[in-house]
Amino acid sequence: MALPGEGVEISVDALRPASGALDSAVPAAQEKTASRAGVQQPQVLGLDGLRGLAALYVVLFHCWLYTFPGYPDSSAPPWLKGLMFGRLAVVFFLVLSGFSLAISPARHGWRSGGVARFLRRRAWRILPPYWAALAMSLLISSFVVPASHFGPPTGESILVYGLVAQDIITAPTPNGAFWSIGVEAELYLLFPLLLLIRRRSSAVILAACVTLPVIARGLMAPGASPVEGDNWLAPHLAPVFVAGMIGAGLVAARDRVRRLPWAGFAVLAALPVLVLGVVQGSVWTVNHYFWIDLAIAPAMTMLIAAVATGRPAPLLRFLTTRPIRSLGGFSYSLYLIHLPIVLAVIRRVAPHFVSPGLPTFWFTLAVALPVSVFGSWLFSQIFEMPFKRNRSWKTLISRNRNTEDSPLG
C-alpha cells in the first residue's frame, strides 16, 4: 500500500466542542445544540481533540519516516520506533469519521436526512480546502521537492487528484498524504447505502455485509497475506469506517449501555494486537496491515465511544483543554499541508545545517513541526473555516459582505 506516509483523515467534519475546560465528567461533557427537528440534542465533546492528536501523530510519523531510511526496517534509534505506526493513525481517522457522521442518524432512526443533502454538505466541507492544498502541493512538488518516487506531478496528476480519484487511478502524487482523501470520498458515497442497511436490519448484519467479503479476500490471497497496491484501498478499509458507524449507536443508547467501561474494553481489545506487533517486529507488522487494520478497529471504536459517553473523565478533560481542542479544530488542514513542508525541511533545508540521521530529525521537529502547525492554522482560516461556518455560497458571501460593511470590519 502507499503507506500512510504518502496517510489520514484525513479528515472529516468535527462536532464542534464548547469553549472552556471541563470541570467534571459526564454532565460537563455535553452541551445542548439544535437538531434538525428543532429539539435540543447533546453535542459530543472530545472528538475534535482525538482528531487533533491523531493528525499531530501523522506529522511526527512523517518527520520520522523521511529522516531515517529503510522503512519498515528503519535505521532510526529503537526508542523512536513508536513513531512508525502512521498507518494506524489513518485507520483511526476513518473509524472516527464513520462515528462522527453516524451520530446524527443514530439519534434519528438511522436516517440520513437525504442523500443529495448529505453528499452536497460533505463536498462543501471537504473539497475547498483539499483543492487549495492540492494547488499548494503541486507547486511545491514541481519546483521545490518531489513528493513521489515516480517523479514530479503531471497533467494526469492534476486530473486524477483534482477529481479525488487517486484510490481508483494511479498517477504521480503531489502529496503523499492525499491517498486517504480518495478512500474517504468513496466511503462518503457508500455512507447512505450503509445507513439504509443499518436502518433495515441490524449492526451485526451491516458489519457482516462489509467485513466478511474483505476477510474472504484476505484468506484467498497467497499465504493469507494480501499485498496492497497504491490504490483500491476503500473496499479493504470500509469495515473500519463501518465499525465507527456502529459505535455511534452508543451515543443514543440507554444509560445502562452508555455507562459500561468502554475505555477498559478498548484496552483489552487493543492489547493482543499491540503485543503481537511488538513480538513479531516492524517488518511483519507493516506486511500484515491488512489484518491489523481489521483487528484494531473495534478497540478504536470503543475508545471513541468512551470519550463520547464522557469517560474516563481525566482523558475527556485533557481532550477539551484549549490547546488540544484548538488543534483539533484545524486538524484537517494540518493533515492536508504538513507533508510538503516536512519534505522541504528534510531534503532542502536541513542538509545545509545538520548531518543526516538524528540531528536532521531534531532539526525537522524544531522547524517543520511549528511551521506545519502555524501554517495549517493560517491555511484553515482562509480555506477551511469559512466553509465550516457557512453552508452555502450565499451565506458565505453574505457574511463577508456584512463584515466589510461593519464599522469594526
Side-chain angles (χ1 to χ4, degrees):
M1 124 145 228
L3 265 175
E6 298 154 78
V8 199
E9 265 225 45
I10 145 68
S11 209
V12 294
D13 195 8
L15 293 176
R16 300 296 298 156
S19 59
L22 297 184
D23 297 321
S24 60
V26 179
Q30 298 176 341
E31 271 201 357
K32 296 296 182 180
T33 185
S35 71
R36 292 173 299 180
V39 179
Q40 293 295 301
Q41 297 284 346
Q43 184 179 25
V44 179
L45 300 183
L47 301 191
D48 266 358
L50 288 173
R51 186 174 289 109
L53 292 176
L56 185 62
Y57 180 86
V58 172
V59 179
L60 295 175
F61 165 75
H62 282 136
C63 292
W64 172 89
L65 176 69
Y66 290 103
T67 297
F68 302 103
Y71 184 85
D73 189 15
S74 173
S75 59
W79 52 273
L80 282 176
K81 292 292 178 74
L83 295 178
M84 67 164 289
F85 299 106
R87 160 66 173 256
L88 295 185
V90 179
V91 171
F92 183 77
F93 274 129
L94 293 175
V95 176
L96 184 54
S97 177
F99 191 99
S100 300
L101 292 177
I103 287 175
S104 180
R107 289 170 172 161
H108 298 88
W110 297 99
R111 289 176 171 79
S112 66
V115 175
R117 177 177 179 271
F118 167 76
L119 294 177
R120 183 173 61 250
R121 292 183 67 171
R122 285 286 84 201
W124 175 264
R125 171 69 182 89
I126 297 299
L127 291 179
Y130 168 74
W131 281 331
L134 174 60
M136 169 187 159
S137 300
L138 286 166
L139 289 173
I140 294 177
S141 59
S142 296
F143 301 107
V144 180
V145 55
S148 169
H149 59 276
F150 292 113
T154 62
E156 185 182 17
S157 302
I158 298 173
L159 180 62
V160 169
Y161 282 84
L163 295 175
V164 203
Q166 56 265 37
D167 190 49
I168 301 173
I169 303 171
T170 302
T173 181
N175 185 325
F178 284 173
W179 71 269
S180 67
I181 308 299
V183 171
E184 194 136 3
E186 293 172 67
L187 294 175
Y188 290 159
L189 295 175
L190 283 176
F191 183 68
L193 175 61
L194 298 173
L195 280 182
L196 178 64
I197 296 172
R198 175 64 183 89
R199 184 169 71 249
R200 295 194 174 180
S201 56
S202 66
V204 173
I205 297 298
L206 173 60
C209 287
V210 177
T211 306
L212 290 181
V214 175
I215 293 175
R217 179 205 162 200
L219 293 175
M220 289 187 294
S225 182
V227 177
E228 295 181 331
D230 292 340
N231 45 28
W232 295 106
L233 298 170
H236 160 211
L237 292 170
V240 308
F241 181 81
V242 167
M245 287 181 59
I246 293 172
L250 292 171
V251 175
R254 293 171 295 179
D255 279 350
R256 182 170 60 85
V257 176
R258 290 168 53 86
R259 291 179 181 278
L260 290 172
W262 293 110
F265 293 162
V267 172
L268 292 176
L271 271 178
V273 183
L274 298 178
V275 169
L276 182 63
V278 170
V279 171
Q280 296 290 344
S282 59
V283 175
W284 182 92
T285 299
V286 169
N287 290 335
H288 290 82
Y289 267 143
F290 182 93
W291 296 112
I292 291 174
D293 293 345
L294 301 180
I296 201 70
M300 292 177 173
T301 301
M302 287 185 278
L303 172 62
I304 297 168
V307 171
T309 54
R311 295 175 179 81
L315 175 60
L316 191 62
R317 278 194 288 269
F318 171 70
L319 292 172
T320 51
T321 55
R322 187 178 298 276
I324 303 301
R325 194 175 66 242
S326 298
L327 180 66
F330 61 88
S331 58
Y332 181 44
S333 292
L334 179 60
Y335 183 78
L336 287 175
I337 73 167
H338 77 276
L339 186 51
I341 296 171
V342 169
L343 283 173
V345 169
I346 291 174
R347 294 179 177 173
R348 294 290 182 264
V349 181
H352 297 288
F353 297 95
V354 294
S355 57
L358 202 54
T360 293
F361 178 74
W362 293 126
F363 182 88
T364 303
L365 288 187
V367 177
L369 185 59
V371 170
S372 295
V373 171
F374 177 75
S376 59
W377 174 82
L378 187 62
F379 179 92
S380 74
Q381 297 305 305
I382 302 171
F383 299 110
E384 182 181 1
M385 294 305 171
F387 297 91
K388 201 170 184 178
R389 294 168 180 152
N390 301 278
R391 292 299 186 185
S392 67
W393 284 112
K394 181 179 179 180
T395 57
L396 178 60
I397 294 171
S398 174
R399 177 171 291 190
N400 288 339
R401 220 174 256 158
N402 290 340
T403 302
E404 292 171 1
D405 294 341
S406 168
L408 301 177

